[in-house]
Amino acid sequence: MVIATRSNPAEVLVDKHGRRIRKLRISLTDACNLRCRYCMPEHAVFSSGESLMPPSEIERIARNLAGLGIDSIRLTGGEPVVRSEFLEVVERVCSIPGVRVGLTTNGFKLAGNASALAKAGLGGANVSLDSLDPDNFRRIARGGDLGSVLEGIFAARDAGLRVKINTVLMRGWNDHELEAFHDFSAEHGLEVRFLELMRIGEALAFFQERFVPASEMIERLQRRSPLREVPVDADATAFERISDAGARLGFIASESRPFCGGCSRLRLSAKGSLRACLFKEDGLDLRGVPDEAIPDLVRKVVDLKPIGRIPSISQPMHAIGG
Ligand code: SAM
Ligand code: SF4
């Protein structure tokens, strides 16, 4: 396997806008054990197992990208944990030197995997949680069980993983729980990051009705407990606040305050297509491409990175890889 060394500056990825590209999201599958209303249709059709890249290929491509300066990898989906080779993929990706590995999961099957994930070297888990009320949780996710997700969150934390909660706040569905999430953060010392609903796939049908801007969330939360700013990295997607009550809160304002100008990410689909942006449907296939040919293809994708926010995409989020 020929892999470019990161000590060679020519091998670091910089796009035509001068942005250093260093983060990669890898989707392990488009399948999921939940059916969140804003993410996928109720009767979603998933790709066959054979069409997905095997763990060895995911590792090979990830190693090549690490050789080009990628130092942060997030495993996502669909729900990555439903993939039968999930732990093997985590172990393989965590074995790549110089790369921090995180996971984005719905937490439903996290409890039983937490210690194995920590042992494999996973750094952190971002767990999606849209309601603290069991009935509302099931309404939004069209199934699932709040208790199992909470169990997963605490098991992951106890296993030593850095845990963050991701909450998509939607008008009329869970915005009445905003303050409850604040209190949850303060009580358990866990960061809760509020995501604005994005104009993606399923959400396009009800975006206007359900969208809550981060500014409105902050205004309401200030009334709960005054918020102070926390400094973040230049390529961070969230801006962060700490409340006087001790809650750690993040805001991912992709619609009202897009962070595209500082974006440092690439995305690899479960089938091996490398994409320049969440909102760009076209990508270049890296599956089966010899190591020597990968850097040129990756640079071609990097050149496709937009500087500004693309308004919307019709493909559903679970299929893109969130
Ligand atoms: N299944 C995992 C999970 O739920 O965390 C990983 C994949 S999921 C697609 C990744 C993230 O995308 C989740 O936090 C989810 O809430 C978010 N998401 C999905 N559709 C979205 C939308 N239209 N707007 C904002 N966030 C969305
Ligand atoms: Fe599944 Fe995550 Fe999409 Fe919910 S947000 S349906 S858990 S992929």
Side-chain angles (χ1 to χ4, degrees):
M1 192 186 292
V2 179
I3 293 181
T5 60
R6 209 176 308 167
S7 51
N8 178 356
E11 298 299 351
V12 170
L13 297 169
V14 177
D15 76 358
K16 55 186 178 202
H17 305 287
R19 293 173 296 188
R20 160 92 198 276
I21 308 305
R22 58 178 201 87
K23 295 184 181 174
L24 174 68
R25 290 202 162 217
I26 305 180
S27 174
L28 301 195
T29 174
D30 57 4
C32 187
N33 45 5
L34 298 181
R35 297 286 183 280
C36 302
R37 290 171 186 277
Y38 54 83
C39 175
M40 68 165 75
E42 187 165 11
H43 303 291
V45 178
F46 302 129
S47 304
S48 67
E50 307 84 70
S51 68
L52 307 179
M53 283 190 293
S56 55
E57 184 65 350
I58 296 173
E59 179 189 351
R60 185 185 72 92
I61 295 175
R63 279 189 187 272
N64 274 279
L65 281 154
L68 292 168
I70 293 292
D71 61 11
S72 170
I73 292 182
R74 177 158 295 279
L75 304 175
T76 182
E79 175 49 41
V81 185
V82 302
R83 176 111 189 235
S84 58
E85 307 106 325
F86 164 67
L87 267 176
E88 182 188 345
V89 176
V90 174
E91 282 163 2
R92 283 176 175 271
V93 175
C94 286
S95 73
I96 303 173
V99 173
R100 282 181 298 127
V101 185
L103 169 72
T104 299
T105 174
N106 62 30
F108 199 37
K109 291 192 165 197
L110 190 53
N113 285 301
S115 48
L117 290 171
K119 203 164 145 219
L122 190 82
N126 292 352
V127 184
S128 298
L129 177 61
D130 296 325
S131 177
L132 293 166
D133 167 77
D135 293 332
N136 200 30
F137 178 98
R138 273 194 299 274
R139 256 194 303 276
I140 296 172
R142 297 190 183 107
D145 153 46
L146 173 64
S148 308
V149 177
L150 292 175
E151 208 187 314
I153 288 170
F154 296 124
R157 185 179 65 176
D158 294 347
L161 299 178
R162 207 171 359 87
V163 177
K164 293 181 184 172
I165 311 297
N166 280 350
T167 303
V168 181
L169 205 78
M170 294 162 287
R171 201 174 305 286
W173 282 358
N174 64 351
D175 61 332
H176 59 286
E177 296 193 52
L178 178 69
E179 288 79 5
F181 274 106
H182 165 277
D183 296 354
F184 180 85
S185 168
E187 183 183 346
H188 298 289
L190 287 165
E191 179 172 344
V192 174
R193 304 190 313 167
F194 296 106
L195 280 71
E196 286 182 351
L197 183 66
M198 290 188 276
R199 288 179 170 91
I200 296 180
E202 292 302 289
L204 292 172
F206 48 76
F207 179 81
Q208 296 300 341
E209 198 187 337
R210 304 281 170 211
F211 175 70
V212 181
S215 56
E216 184 181 323
M217 303 179 204
I218 289 175
E219 204 181 296
R220 267 176 62 186
L221 287 163
Q222 287 277 18
R223 278 183 251 135
R224 185 66 155 198
S225 174
L227 302 177
R228 274 172 290 128
E229 272 185 49
V230 178
V232 291
D233 293 342
D235 63 351
T237 51
F239 51 98
E240 305 203 354
R241 301 282 186 272
I242 291 184
S243 82
D244 280 2
R248 280 189 294 141
L249 307 171
F251 300 88
I252 304 186
S254 319
E255 294 289 336
S256 69
R257 209 171 127 173
F259 35 82
C260 305
C263 181
S264 59
R265 285 190 199 170
L266 293 174
R267 294 175 177 268
L268 184 64
S269 79
K271 293 181 183 173
S273 170
L274 189 71
R275 292 162 77 142
C277 169
L278 176 62
F279 290 87
K280 267 185 163 294
E281 289 207 25
D282 48 330
L284 288 181
D285 214 343
L286 295 187
R287 185 175 185 171
V289 170
D291 291 341
E292 318 68 80
I294 286 183
D296 278 353
L297 285 181
V298 173
R299 284 180 207 289
K300 281 200 178 108
V301 175
V302 163
D303 279 344
L304 296 173
K305 275 191 77 61
I307 187 77
R309 169 66 201 267
I310 295 170
S312 65
I313 182 166
S314 58
Q315 212 180 358
M317 185 69 146
H318 74 100
I320 304 173

